[in-house]
Amino acid sequence: MLDHVSLTVSDLERAERFYDAIFAALGVPKVGSEHADAWIGYGERSDAEHPERSYFSVRLGPQPDDAPRRHCCFKAPSRAAVEAFWHAGLAHGGIDLGAPGLRHYHASYYAAFLFDPDGNRIEAVCHRTDAG
């Protein structure tokens, strides 16, 4: 459904350490970082030959407003990747919003929740029934 998503952070270097760590845990490649232009990018950009790709960018901006219901959720290839996401996030300035575990959304919904260092609510989820 989504082609690309961007969010803002108030400290690009701090955010880069955090997002590099969580996306490495999820196996998502970093596609660029240009501090002069105030952005960092992850995933793969869509094009005519690869319209299924998704891209996520982090951009420098004011401290995000408090919006506790707003969040981004990233797909994880396994439950171990969800756990690695959560640990990496905590080790790089994230705040725990829910340790890895099964959730009520469906029988195999395995997720973890964090605030990034700027207060953006993020999640990683694995939907696999075999625990991956």
Side-chain angles (χ1 to χ4, degrees):
M1 177 194 302
L2 297 175
D3 184 79
H4 60 278
V5 173
S6 298
L7 60 75
T8 59
V9 297
S10 63
D11 183 330
L12 200 59
E13 290 179 12
R14 179 181 67 183
E16 187 167 23
R17 290 187 298 272
F18 177 84
Y19 282 98
D20 281 359
I22 66 156
F23 282 129
L26 295 174
V28 176
K30 182 177 185 177
V31 296
S33 175
E34 183 56 57
H35 288 230
D37 290 333
W39 69 271
I40 311 162
Y42 302 90
E44 298 178 275
R45 291 183 185 269
S46 296
D47 59 26
E49 294 177 16
H50 302 96
E52 74 285 352
R53 292 178 175 171
S54 295
Y55 176 76
F56 183 81
S57 68
V58 177
R59 303 205 173 253
L60 186 61
Q63 177 81 25
D65 62 331
D66 183 29
R69 301 286 296 172
R70 175 188 64 215
H71 84 280
C72 295
C73 181
F74 306 110
K75 289 185 179 185
S78 66
R79 291 182 181 183
V82 170
E83 292 167 9
F85 155 90
W86 186 73
H87 287 292
L90 292 177
H92 290 86
I95 297 171
D96 178 26
L97 289 176
L102 290 169
R103 302 296 194 256
H104 70 277
Y105 304 111
H106 64 70
S108 60
Y109 195 106
Y110 191 86
F113 299 84
L114 296 165
F115 275 134
D116 77 1
D118 269 283
N120 292 300
R121 186 171 181 257
I122 61 171
E123 171 188 0
V125 64
C126 177
H127 294 282
R128 297 173 58 130
T129 57
D130 63 2

